[in-house]
Amino acid sequence: GEDVEQSLFLSVREGDSSVINCTYTDSSSTYLYWYKQEPGAGLQLLTYIFSNMDMKQDQRLTVLLNKKDKHLSLRIADTQTGDSAIYFCASAAGDTGRRALTFGSGTRLQVQP
Amino acid sequence: DTAVSQTPKYLVTQMGNDKSIKCEQNLGHDTMYWYKQDSKKFLKIMFSYNNKELIINETVPNRFSPKSPDKAHLNLHINSLELGDSAVYFCASSPGVAGGVAKNIQYFGAGTRLSVL
């Protein structure tokens, strides 16, 4: 089945850029997502990208997709202490609108003041 | 006006008990899901319903039984609770086929933290 992998931890200083990386195995993944989970909270959809796109920008967030290498990254510009959270990469294959997400293990982002 | 709401937020119970978690979405979505997040934060799909019909049923013990009385609700009943059932359970919904390009974008509830003692 599908496998999604992320590094477990990233520490940056406030004001720096953060880059969180993700690799996936299923080449039929059509939707790729980034979710944010703050301590004790639910999953907040940050952004998503379709497999026919290479890049998507949304304010401080930039998503890059390399389909050949099956690599997805999330860049957060001007990282703030409020960005400290766990970031999950997720993928879904197919285009039926009824597919479950396969999640990575999450990357814990720590932002130091 | 919460989009996907789960109750209760916390559930503490003894081994062997039976408990239910409720989920409701007011987004008009066709598809709903239950995910389990373990203590290491791994998230895994358990079930999915599309318009009251079960479409995904992963390898989950028979003690877990989902029920969808209508497309806006997906409840999870757990019989004979075990220590290993302790986790955070997330409900999610997505538009489904009628959602166009957004058909598979999933929105999550705040989670139900289940502790089995």
Side-chain angles (χ1 to χ4, degrees), chain A residues 8-14 16-18 20 76 79-87 107-113:
Chain A
L8 291 181
F9 189 75
L10 176 65
S11 180
V12 299
R13 291 203 173 277
E14 194 172 20
D16 288 349
S17 291
S18 307
I20 302 171
I76 306 172
T79 314
Q80 302 298 306
T81 53
D83 294 324
S84 293
I86 300 176
Y87 290 80
T107 299
R108 189 178 294 271
L109 174 63
Q110 183 180 69
V111 183
Q112 298 180 3

Side-chain angles (χ1 to χ4, degrees), chain B residues 36-111:
Chain B
K36 179 180 178 181
Q37 185 176 45
D38 65 21
S39 58
K40 294 184 177 166
K41 304 295 185 187
F42 288 118
L43 279 149
K44 201 164 178 329
I45 183 69
M46 298 174 71
F47 302 104
S48 175
Y49 271 72
N50 180 257
N51 219 350
K52 300 192 293 176
E53 178 192 348
L54 180 66
I55 54 170
I56 296 175
N57 186 355
E58 289 295 306
T59 308
V60 175
N62 290 341
R63 300 180 294 103
F64 289 78
S65 51
K67 281 192 173 46
S68 182
D70 55 62
K71 74 173 194 175
H73 295 84
L74 179 61
N75 304 323
L76 183 65
H77 188 76
I78 315 169
N79 288 328
S80 304
L81 277 154
E82 299 178 357
L83 293 176
D85 298 332
S86 296
V88 182
Y89 292 84
F90 285 102
C91 177
S93 72
S94 64
V97 172
V101 294
K103 62 172 80 78
N104 207 51
I105 296 174
Q106 295 187 22
Y107 297 89
F108 283 74

Side-chain angles (χ1 to χ4, degrees), chain A residues 5-86:
Chain A
E5 293 197 359
Q6 304 176 234
S7 52
L8 291 181
F9 189 75
L10 176 65
S11 180
V12 299
R13 291 203 173 277
E14 194 172 20
D16 288 349
S17 291
S18 307
V19 179
I20 302 171
N21 294 301
C22 169
T23 56
Y24 59 97
T25 57
D26 189 347
S27 56
S28 66
S29 293
T30 50
Y31 296 80
L32 294 143
Y33 306 83
W34 286 103
Y35 283 86
K36 177 183 179 183
Q37 186 178 31
E38 296 183 53
L43 292 159
Q44 175 194 351
L45 177 65
L46 279 180
T47 187
Y48 58 91
I49 189 167
F50 299 117
S51 60
N52 61 359
M53 299 166 67
D54 298 324
M55 186 183 96
K56 182 178 180 183
Q57 188 148 6
D58 185 358
Q59 299 181 337
R60 292 190 297 123
L61 305 178
T62 303
V63 179
L64 294 177
L65 174 60
N66 181 329
K67 278 183 66 179
K68 176 173 166 291
D69 295 338
K70 300 193 191 71
H71 182 266
L72 183 73
S73 67
L74 174 69
R75 179 177 179 270
I76 306 172
D78 188 25
T79 314
Q80 302 298 306
T81 53
D83 294 324
S84 293
I86 300 176

